[in-house]
Amino acid sequence: MILPLLAAIAVIALRLVLHTIERPVEGTGFMLVHFLALVTVVFFAGARLLRQDRHTPIAMLLRTGFRSAAVYAVAMAVFLYAYFTWYDPSYFQQRIDHLVWRGVSEGQPEAIIRPRMEQFFTPFNYATITLATLLLSGGILTVIAAVFQHKVLRRLRR
């Protein structure tokens, strides 16, 4: 389980560096980095199993890959909650203000828009949505990697 934690630490460091140099990533723009980290974590977890025993069943490859993806997803969700709660607490208020301004400029009343935005855009919701997305993506990537490793890499290891 060290690989998913190392991948999470690397992604966290990247996010903090981008924030420090005043180039924070907006919205879903950072998901490509998460997907790259998930592919790496899932693939190398399965490859390690095949290196230990080339007759590892596909169920074990799936379980190990998903476990690694889940550790990464939980670590990132905890970090994102902490990041937007303590490190960059003004992010959501600025985002809400911008969205309310856009809605008002389109003719919608602020009294209706602002409460909805403040209810939806919170660190907890952001972390929860990210967790669910990373778990779903990790599951899909795990199936793809496990099938590839079971059908292709196993033959190359002979």
Side-chain angles (χ1 to χ4, degrees):
M1 289 299 114
I2 191 83
L3 182 61
L5 293 176
L6 289 176
I9 290 169
V11 171
I12 288 168
L14 177 62
R15 185 163 199 129
L16 292 175
V17 165
L18 289 174
H19 181 78
T20 302
I21 63 172
E22 296 180 3
R23 298 260 224 216
V25 180
E26 290 291 323
T28 59
F30 208 69
M31 285 307 284
L32 186 60
V33 174
H34 289 304
F35 292 145
L36 178 62
L38 278 174
V39 166
T40 303
V41 164
V42 166
F43 181 81
F44 284 112
R48 191 176 114 238
L49 270 181
L50 282 177
R51 192 177 23 212
Q52 292 170 354
D53 179 17
R54 69 180 185 153
H55 299 293
T56 302
I58 194 166
M60 185 65 83
L61 292 171
L62 288 167
R63 183 175 35 224
T64 302
F66 189 72
R67 185 182 317 137
S68 295
V71 168
Y72 175 80
V74 169
M76 290 311 305
V78 168
F79 165 73
L80 288 173
Y81 178 77
Y83 178 82
F84 287 117
T85 300
W86 296 296
Y87 192 73
D88 191 10
S90 64
Y91 173 79
F92 285 111
Q93 191 56 46
Q94 292 170 357
R95 183 151 169 96
I96 290 167
D97 289 343
H98 176 72
L99 292 172
V100 168
W101 173 81
R102 279 184 32 196
V104 168
S105 67
E106 292 174 1
Q108 299 176 14
E110 182 175 349
I112 293 175
I113 299 172
R114 185 167 294 278
R116 289 180 182 172
M117 295 296 160
E118 287 175 348
Q119 202 172 29
F120 182 74
F121 288 103
T122 65
F124 181 78
N125 284 351
Y126 190 83
T128 303
I129 290 169
T130 302
L131 175 66
T133 303
L134 290 176
L135 286 175
L136 178 65
S137 302
I140 293 168
L141 292 172
T142 296
V143 170
I144 293 169
V147 168
F148 175 75
Q149 289 167 337
H150 185 71
K151 297 294 184 186
V152 177
L153 287 186
R154 182 182 313 268
R155 291 185 184 136
L156 295 177
R157 295 235 179 244
R158 290 181 185 183

